Amino acid sequence: MRAALEQARLALASGEVPVGAVVVQAGRIIGRGHNHPINRHDPSAHAEVLALRDAGAALGNYRLPGCDLYVTLEPCVMCAGAIQHARIRRVVFGAQDPKTGACGSVVNLFEDRRLAPHTAVAAGVLADESASLLRGFSPIAVVRRVNAIRVQQVEGEPCSQQLTRVCTTGLWLWRAAPAEADPRVPAPDPGESVARPAQWAAVLWCVCRPAV
């Protein structure tokens, strides 16, 4: 589990939700992963999924019988499904997830006999350390990172030549585009007003101000 915590710290350092996972076979780590959905633009890039992919590549097999998966946060439904498909022997997790946990906090897919379960579950290992990492994570930092990515470039074109809609704290901003609108970028909704300079300044300040 400490190796999974190290993976979680790597996620935190890269601006991701700090969750880490490792796959262990016969006392040896064969797969590692940490949260990566923001940087990879991949909603499936959770720590557990990446650790399973790494382990599968190491063994040359999509089934991982006899392997255990350690993860710092209770797996979600997506990850629980992947764990079952991989035939993981046991899942050991740290902190519970009261919003999306699929090992008992919200649902328990590993106890549903209709799913032909193969996996045992152990909870609460180094739970305080795992939860402490999550409490130290700032969602505001993620919002700023996503907004920074959105206002950079689309397929290598300068932002000044694009119509980019940026969502920041519920406000929609529209940037002027050339006469011929880019078909890849959605057009403004009818009746939607364009932000005035004062509004631009206020919202840009919210996005770009340094973290406190």
Side-chain angles (χ1 to χ4, degrees):
M1 182 60 83
R2 295 202 179 278
L5 282 167
E6 287 301 317
Q7 290 294 312
R9 293 186 183 97
L10 291 177
L12 182 63
S14 63
E16 301 274 2
V17 177
V19 179
V22 295
V23 176
V24 177
Q25 182 189 60
R28 181 173 64 92
I29 295 175
I30 60 170
R32 294 175 171 83
H34 58 269
N35 263 13
H36 236 309
I38 297 172
N39 291 297
R40 292 192 179 185
H41 314 295
D42 180 0
S44 70
H46 285 196
E48 301 94 312
V49 172
L50 297 183
L52 291 173
R53 290 175 182 170
D54 195 30
L59 296 182
N61 194 349
Y62 76 109
R63 301 292 198 197
L64 303 172
C67 295
D68 300 331
L69 185 144
Y70 292 78
V71 60
T72 58
L73 181 66
E74 181 180 0
C76 67
V77 170
M78 176 185 72
C79 294
I83 289 165
Q84 288 179 326
H85 281 293
R87 302 294 191 264
I88 288 291
R89 178 179 63 183
R90 182 177 62 148
V91 170
V92 181
F93 71 86
Q96 291 184 314
D97 185 349
K99 294 183 179 180
T100 63
C103 299
S105 291
V106 179
V107 296
N108 195 335
L109 296 186
F110 297 104
E111 287 190 352
D112 192 328
R113 307 308 300 178
R114 296 170 297 176
L115 298 176
H118 301 269
T119 305
V121 177
V125 177
L126 297 182
D128 290 341
E129 292 184 42
S130 300
S132 177
L133 275 177
L134 290 164
R135 284 194 297 268
F137 175 73
S138 170
I140 296 175
V142 172
V143 171
R144 289 176 182 156
R145 183 176 182 84
V146 171
N147 285 335
I149 292 171
R150 285 175 176 170
V151 300
Q152 284 178 354
Q153 293 183 349
V154 174
E155 296 185 7
E157 292 182 2
C159 292
S160 59
Q161 297 179 6
Q162 303 165 24
L163 173 63
T164 308
R165 186 159 64 170
V166 181
C167 177
T168 306
T169 62
L171 296 177
W172 291 96
L173 301 179
W174 290 96
R175 299 194 63 176
E180 295 182 1
D182 190 329
R184 297 166 301 179
V185 183
D189 296 333
E192 186 173 17
S193 62
V194 177
R196 295 183 178 182
Q199 295 171 318
W200 273 93
V203 177
L204 288 175
W205 180 80
C206 292
V207 177
C208 301
R209 62 180 174 173
V212 177

